[in-house]
């Protein structure tokens, strides 16, 4: 069978080949057909009725009204050709027109974590203080269990027949099928869903499993259909219904990779908060790079939640000649990792049956590609191996799943770690040691980071456990990981705070959660940046018992221009004494930083339930500031506790590259090849252009696209769509807001016959 081999040479090899960059003239990417039909959200300056909207659309012969929103936004949704949508954009009555985005469940829902809990076992609920809080009484003498609080869950629906959710379920709406039956998608094979049921269980399971707020009422809004995806239109419609239903808390464990504060869903969530709803969202699973937080986790007034780890035993590998410990990421379907002694590790290529030589009673290292993870693992298991370690064939590590359960552990490591291990092999094997190391409060690699573009806000606001979270799914229980699992911890916590303090506003509940959070550090003891962890990891008991509220819970001082010799940005905080005795408050001067001076309020005293607005200022000399992004924390002492307020400011607009990390590798099924590339801010135009390396003649586009979302972009290219055999110069480019970044690399494509490795 013919296979295509793609080899990427280092960038230094091609610099010699460039006589003149001007010779590489990029042609325009293909134009979109103006008759292509699209769905769009239209925001209007004021609320319009159906008659007024139809009058606006009358000149557009092929554009139809789909849905009118009445609570979340002033606007409506339409469907029509691109040419007519462009005309409507120019209307004076239209404030904003945005083509609908696809929103997906924000979890590694297919990536259950199989690490062992810590020997001194503290589960995710106990870690954040849930058990302790359940013993506190509200003003009516009831324990804090969410009684009297209604929580809306915008997700894939809920399996309300699950025995642990029957008591909590209080109805809902299906915005996918257009009825009032928000049941999970069942019986649809791989397109069946379980995500909403898992989220609901974390919040309010009340049976064999008990969630954070077991006596709260759950209202389900099914906005994501088969496969776990839905549109902007469906999610806004769900927010519209939730506002109309007057829920107290709203959880959205969903999102996309667009980092911007003004997408319609973010605006709709801000409106929900204005209507008295505590809105909680996941920050996204596109980490660990900065700028990866996505909508609606960018909504200013919502609580955006990142993912951290509960206490767990994580396997690490040590090998002679490899300086750093290698962390093992277990695949779904893998057995638990119980190997904790010295073992022989043998390299077995791509993991084919023919390569599984002398692997009995040994660990096997294989490279990703050509065979599925399951095929590699089965081949190793059948040959007598005790475990499999798969290293990536593109930069970084990966998460994956086995198509069937196997009785041996199967783990993933990065390409870099795999190549380092390969160098140590002597006579086809090397001795390694596995250690189980306890970890907790470590930020998950997948957890998206901020800041938010344009507003430069700190997001996420808070982090909560989002790894190895066991919860309800249709037919049983399953541990999953993702920021989707972290967000419902905060939604459930907000319900308990609401029960304890029914007069607190959404902003005050958000402040209580942020003011009392635990500052967390990485594996080396270095604290995470504010735009990585927000205020820190939630501590529920401290949030409920706090006697001081400082709002907002974080500050952004905006953008400082180098052209200004001296620049002052001010901010306002509201400090409220919620305790029963008078308190005196004082600010601590932040750590001295060159080019920055502070003007902070003098100490002051507040009587019980008294509040005070205080102003502070940051004075900067931008020319003395070396970095583009600066952050830290202010500290307010209330005589009993120190409250940290994260802050952030930027110098100019951070010039992040528009395109990064391009790579090619064989697809896992062996029938195609895949490329991966990272777009930190998305792209208005993106392309992979191929040139003849001798004549710099344009050959064609390997792929292209417009209006790509922020984050990792990847696609499988079938072999028949690859160009003729030979060497090509590839120019990978991304354009956004008048800026263009490129990656130039050499690609060699060979269509030689390779042995078939599938039976």
């Amino acid at each position: 069978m013919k296979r295509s081999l793609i080899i990427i040479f280092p960038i230094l090899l091609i610099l010699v080949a460039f006589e003149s960059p001007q010779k590489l003239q990029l042609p325009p990417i293909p134009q979109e057909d103006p008759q292509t039909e699209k769905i769009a959200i239209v925001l209007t300056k004021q609320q319009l009725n159906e008659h007024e909207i139809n009058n606006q659309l009358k000149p557009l012969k092929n554009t139809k009204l789909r849905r009118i929103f009445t609570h979340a936004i002033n606007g409506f949704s339409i469907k029509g050709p691109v040419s007519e949508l462009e005309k409507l954009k120019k209307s004076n009555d239209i404030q904003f027109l945005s083509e609908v985005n696809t929103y997906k469940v924000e979890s590694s829902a297919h990536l259950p974590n199989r690490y062992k809990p810590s020997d001194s076992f503290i589960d995710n609920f106990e870690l954040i203080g849930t058990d302790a809080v359940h013993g506190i009484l509200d003003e009516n003498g009831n324990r804090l269990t969410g009684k009297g609080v209604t929580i809306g869950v915008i997700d894939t629906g809920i399996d309300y027949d699950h025995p642990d959710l029957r008591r909590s379920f209080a109805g809902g709406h299906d915005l996918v099928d257009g009825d009032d039956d928000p049941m999970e998608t069942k019986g649809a094979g791989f397109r069946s869903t379980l995500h909403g049921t898992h989220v609901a269980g974390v919040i309010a399971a009340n049976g064999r499993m008990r969630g954070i707020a077991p006596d709260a009422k759950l209202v389900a809004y099914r906005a994501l259909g088969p496969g776990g995806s839905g549109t902007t239109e469906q999610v806004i419609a769900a927010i519209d219904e939730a506002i109309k239903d007057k829920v107290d808390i709203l959880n959205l464990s969903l999102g996309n990779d667009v980092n911007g504060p003004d997408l319609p869903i973010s605006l709709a969530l801000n409106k929900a908060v204005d209507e008295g709803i505590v809105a909680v969202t996941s920050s996204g699973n596109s980490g660990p790079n900065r700028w990866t937080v996505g909508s609606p986790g960018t909504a200013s007034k919502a609580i955006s939640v990142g993912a951290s780890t509960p206490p767990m035993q994580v396997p690490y590998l040590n090998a002679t000649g490899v300086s750093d410990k290698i962390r093992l990421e277990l695949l779904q379907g893998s057995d638990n990792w119980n190997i904790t002694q010295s073992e022989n590790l043998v390299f077995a290529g791509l993991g084919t049956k023919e390569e599984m030589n002398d692997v009995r009673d040994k660990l096997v290292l294989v490279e990703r590609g050509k065979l599925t993870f399951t095929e590699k693992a089965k081949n190793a298991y059948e040959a007598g191996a005790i475990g499999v370690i798969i290293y990536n064939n593109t930069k970084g590590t990966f998460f994956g799943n086995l198509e069937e359960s196997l009785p041996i552990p199967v783990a993933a490591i990065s390409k870099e770690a795999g190549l380092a291990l390969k160098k140590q092999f002597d006579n086809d094997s090397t001795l390694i040691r596995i250690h189980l190391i306890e970890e907790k409060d470590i930020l998950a690699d997948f957890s998206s980071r901020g800041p938010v573009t344009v507003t430069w806000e700190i997001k996420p606001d808070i982090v909560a456990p989002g790894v190895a979270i066991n919860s309800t799914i249709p037919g049983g229980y399953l541990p999953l990981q993702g920021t989707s699992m972290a967000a419902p911890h905060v939604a459930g916590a907000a319900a308990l705070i609401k029960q304890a303090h029914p007069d607190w506003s959404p902003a005050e509940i958000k402040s209580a959660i942020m003011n009392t959070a635990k500052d967390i550090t990485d594996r080396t003891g270095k604290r995470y940046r504010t735009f990585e962890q927000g205020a820190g990891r939630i501590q529920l008991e401290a949030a409920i018992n706090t006697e001081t509220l400082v709002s907002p819970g974080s500050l952004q001082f905006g953008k400082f221009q180098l052209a200004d010799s001296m620049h002052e940005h001010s901010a306002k905080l509201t400090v409220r004494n919620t305790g029963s005795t008078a308190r005196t408050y004082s600010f601590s001067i932040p750590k001295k930083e060159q080019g920055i001076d502070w003007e902070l309020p003098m100490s002051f005293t507040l009587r019980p339930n008294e509040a005070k607005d205080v102003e502070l200022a940051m004075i900067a000399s931008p020319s003395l500031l070396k970095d583009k992004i600066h952050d830290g924390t202010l500290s307010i002492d209330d005589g009993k506790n120190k409250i940290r307020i994260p802050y952030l400011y930027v110098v100019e607009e951070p010039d992040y590259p528009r395109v990064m990390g391009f790579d090619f590798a064989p697809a896992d099924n062996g029938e195609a090849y895949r490329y991966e590339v990272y777009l930190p801010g998305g792209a208005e135009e993106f392309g992979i252009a191929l040139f003849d390396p001798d004549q710099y003649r344009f050959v064609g586009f390997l792929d292209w696209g417009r209006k790509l979302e922020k984050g990792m972009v990847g696609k499988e290219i079938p072999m028949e769509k690859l160009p003729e055999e030979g060497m090509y110069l590839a120019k990978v480019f991304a354009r956004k807001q008048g800026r263009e970044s490129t990656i130039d690399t050499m690609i060699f494509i060979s269509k030689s016959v390779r042995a078939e490795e599938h039976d």
Side-chain angles (χ1 to χ4, degrees):
M1 182 176 178
K2 286 186 180 291
R3 303 276 179 156
S4 300
L5 176 65
I6 298 177
I7 303 172
I8 296 184
F9 291 86
I11 187 70
L12 290 176
L13 290 180
I14 65 165
L15 294 179
V16 183
F18 290 160
E19 296 175 9
S20 171
Q22 282 73 28
K23 291 185 178 181
L24 284 178
Q25 295 296 323
L26 282 173
I29 63 176
Q31 291 295 319
E32 186 173 40
D33 184 347
Q35 296 308 309
T36 301
E37 283 201 321
K38 294 197 172 181
I39 299 172
I41 304 297
V42 181
L43 302 185
T44 55
K45 295 176 182 177
Q46 57 189 15
Q47 189 69 46
L48 303 178
N49 59 39
E50 185 173 358
H51 177 71
E52 291 170 323
I53 295 171
N54 284 326
N55 280 340
Q56 275 198 336
L57 300 179
K58 192 175 292 184
L60 309 177
K61 303 300 182 185
N62 299 301
T63 298
K64 304 298 181 186
L65 175 64
R66 287 173 57 86
R67 186 189 295 269
I68 301 174
F69 305 108
T70 57
H71 299 280
I73 57 173
N74 291 335
F76 52 92
S77 62
I78 54 174
K79 183 177 183 180
V82 171
S83 58
E84 293 190 356
L85 297 185
E86 289 298 322
K87 289 181 183 177
L88 189 60
K89 271 186 183 179
K90 299 173 183 177
S91 170
N92 291 331
D93 297 323
I94 302 303
Q95 192 172 40
F96 184 67
L97 186 146
S98 172
E99 294 176 12
V100 298
N101 290 294
T102 298
Y103 284 78
K104 299 180 180 179
V105 292
E106 271 289 19
S107 79
S108 306
H110 59 297
L111 310 175
N113 189 294
R114 299 297 300 270
Y115 298 133
K116 293 178 63 178
S118 169
D119 291 336
S120 55
F121 180 59
I122 300 175
D123 69 11
N124 45 297
F125 290 172
E126 187 178 352
L127 178 69
I128 70 170
T130 305
D131 294 346
V133 167
H134 285 168
I136 299 174
L137 302 181
D138 67 13
E139 58 188 20
N140 297 316
N142 298 311
R143 294 186 183 275
L144 297 185
T145 57
K147 185 179 179 64
V149 180
T150 302
I151 304 170
V153 178
I154 298 179
D155 215 292
T156 59
I158 292 178
D159 179 8
Y160 45 76
D161 290 332
H162 195 291
D164 290 4
L165 296 174
R166 288 173 185 164
R167 296 179 186 174
S168 305
F169 180 70
H173 307 278
D174 187 331
L175 289 312
V176 178
D177 295 335
D179 55 39
D180 291 331
D181 183 12
M183 174 61 78
E184 286 270 17
T185 302
K186 293 183 178 182
F190 288 113
R191 293 178 62 76
S192 295
T193 59
L194 52 78
H195 189 270
T197 301
H198 195 279
V199 167
V202 173
I203 297 173
N206 192 354
R208 174 183 165 189
M209 173 186 166
R210 286 173 63 82
I212 293 176
D215 289 328
K217 292 301 178 184
L218 292 173
V219 179
Y221 301 92
R222 182 174 177 255
L224 309 180
S229 66
T231 66
T232 306
E233 181 184 37
Q234 291 162 337
V235 177
I236 293 178
I239 298 172
D240 219 44
E241 291 287 348
I243 294 173
K244 184 169 66 175
D245 292 341
K246 300 184 184 304
V247 301
D248 299 301
I249 319 289
L250 193 55
N251 187 93
L252 292 88
S253 289
L254 52 85
N256 66 21
D257 294 322
V258 180
N259 183 341
D262 55 357
L263 287 187
I265 286 183
S266 295
L267 299 178
L269 271 189
N270 288 338
K271 180 66 180 301
V273 175
D274 291 340
E275 295 292 328
I277 297 172
V278 179
V280 181
T281 76
S282 51
S283 68
N285 292 337
S286 299
N289 294 319
R290 62 183 63 176
W291 308 108
T292 49
V293 64
S295 175
T298 55
S300 180
K301 297 179 182 180
I303 305 173
S304 179
V305 187
S308 59
T309 60
M312 59 177 56
Q313 296 279 359
V314 179
Y316 279 82
L317 182 155
N318 283 97
T320 302
V322 179
S323 57
D324 296 329
K325 298 191 297 291
I326 299 172
R327 193 175 195 269
L328 304 181
E329 300 284 352
L330 284 126
L331 276 64
Q332 175 184 359
S334 164
D335 194 21
N336 288 327
W337 198 284
N338 294 311
I339 303 168
T340 58
Q341 65 276 350
S342 296
E343 298 287 353
N344 284 308
L345 179 69
V346 60
F347 180 59
L350 288 168
T352 65
K353 286 185 177 181
E354 293 76 14
E355 292 170 301
M356 291 294 171
N357 298 315
D358 191 27
V359 302
R360 182 167 297 280
D361 297 326
K362 297 176 183 176
L363 290 170
V364 179
L365 176 71
V366 298
E367 182 182 3
R368 181 180 183 181
K370 194 163 185 181
L371 302 180
T372 66
F373 304 138
T374 306
E375 289 172 315
K376 295 174 189 289
K378 285 183 72 173
N379 290 342
Y381 171 64
E382 290 170 0
I386 60 174
V388 179
I389 299 171
I390 304 172
Y391 72 87
N392 206 1
N393 56 5
T394 55
K395 297 180 184 70
T397 191
F398 68 95
F399 302 94
N401 62 289
L402 302 176
E403 295 162 1
E404 56 186 272
S405 295
L406 293 171
I408 60 172
V410 183
I413 61 175
S414 70
K415 179 179 181 179
E416 297 75 16
L419 294 177
L421 282 175
K422 275 186 66 177
K423 290 181 180 179
Q424 309 309 317
F425 283 107
D426 181 23
N427 296 325
D428 296 326
S429 70
T430 188
L431 194 65
I432 57 101
R433 173 87 185 188
I434 304 292
H435 300 272
L436 293 179
I437 299 177
E438 181 178 279
E439 290 184 356
K440 70 175 179 179
D441 284 335
I442 300 297
L443 201 59
D445 285 345
F446 58 76
S447 187
S448 289
R449 274 71 161 171
V452 181
T453 59
V454 183
T455 60
W456 318 116
E457 286 186 290
I458 293 172
K459 293 288 180 174
D461 297 295
I462 199 80
V463 297
V467 178
I469 307 303
N470 193 47
S471 186
T472 51
I473 62 168
Y477 308 86
L478 188 68
L480 301 179
Q481 63 184 24
T483 54
S484 273
M485 284 62 254
H489 283 76
V490 176
L496 301 187
I497 298 171
K498 179 75 173 176
Q499 182 187 351
H501 304 283
D503 60 324
W504 283 8
S505 68
E508 289 177 316
I509 291 175
K510 180 178 180 178
S511 291
I513 291 171
M514 295 181 69
N515 292 168
T516 56
K518 177 185 178 182
D519 195 26
I520 62 173
T521 60
D522 65 16
R523 295 179 180 95
T524 68
K526 181 181 178 181
R527 71 174 301 277
Y528 291 107
R529 303 285 294 271
T530 61
F531 52 81
E532 294 178 312
Q533 66 165 316
R537 193 258 294 155
I538 184 173
Q539 298 187 108
L540 178 52
E541 186 176 13
I544 285 176
N545 291 328
T546 185
E547 296 182 342
T548 297
L549 292 176
V550 181
S551 301
S554 66
L555 295 172
Q556 68 280 354
F557 288 95
K559 184 163 58 176
F560 291 72
Q561 304 291 344
L562 290 175
D564 299 325
S565 59
M566 188 69 74
H567 203 121
E568 178 176 328
H569 282 200
S570 62
K572 181 185 290 185
L573 290 171
T574 300
V575 182
R576 179 182 165 197
N577 179 3
T578 60
S580 57
T581 60
R583 290 188 175 277
T584 298
Y585 298 89
S586 60
F587 283 79
S588 298
I589 299 174
K591 183 180 178 182
K592 180 65 177 175
E593 183 179 358
Q594 184 180 11
I596 292 293
D597 289 300
W598 292 88
E599 290 183 354
L600 300 174
M602 301 292 288
S603 61
F604 57 92
T605 301
L606 295 177
R607 297 185 300 275
N609 208 34
E610 185 181 8
K612 179 181 177 65
D613 292 337
V614 296
E615 289 194 9
L616 50 99
M618 173 190 286
I619 305 166
S621 300
S623 60
L624 299 178
L625 303 177
K626 296 179 180 179
D627 297 326
K628 290 287 190 179
I629 302 176
H630 295 253
D631 67 317
T633 56
L634 296 172
S635 180
I636 304 175
D637 192 327
D638 69 356
K640 184 177 181 181
N641 298 296
K642 288 189 176 181
I643 299 165
R644 294 179 305 104
I645 306 297
Y647 65 81
L648 183 141
Y649 57 97
V650 300
V651 179
E652 299 289 309
E653 179 170 349
D655 188 16
Y656 50 83
R658 279 8 186 193
V659 60
M660 302 166 60
F662 176 71
D663 215 344
F664 263 117
D668 296 323
N669 62 9
E671 302 298 328
Y673 287 83
R674 59 185 169 86
Y675 75 80
E676 292 179 352
V677 65
Y678 185 69
L679 304 177
E684 294 162 2
E685 291 187 350
F686 162 79
I688 305 171
L690 300 183
F691 293 84
D692 182 309
D694 298 321
Q695 303 175 11
Y696 301 128
R697 176 180 55 84
F698 175 66
V699 175
F701 283 103
L702 189 65
D703 197 20
W704 60 274
R706 284 188 175 86
K707 298 181 180 178
L708 272 69
E709 295 179 352
K710 180 180 184 298
M712 188 66 72
V713 175
K715 185 181 290 185
E716 292 190 359
I717 308 293
M719 286 182 287
E720 62 269 17
K721 291 190 177 182
L722 293 172
E724 295 299 318
E725 180 169 303
M727 184 79 74
Y728 295 92
L729 170 60
K731 193 175 189 72
V732 186
F733 64 93
R735 300 174 182 136
K736 186 177 182 184
Q737 296 178 342
R739 295 184 182 179
E740 177 178 289
S741 298
T742 61
I743 297 173
D744 298 324
T745 190
M746 295 296 289
I747 295 175
F748 179 74
I749 299 175
S750 173
K751 295 190 175 181
S752 58
V753 177
R754 293 168 62 181
E756 175 61 67
E757 295 178 352
H758 294 266
D759 291 338

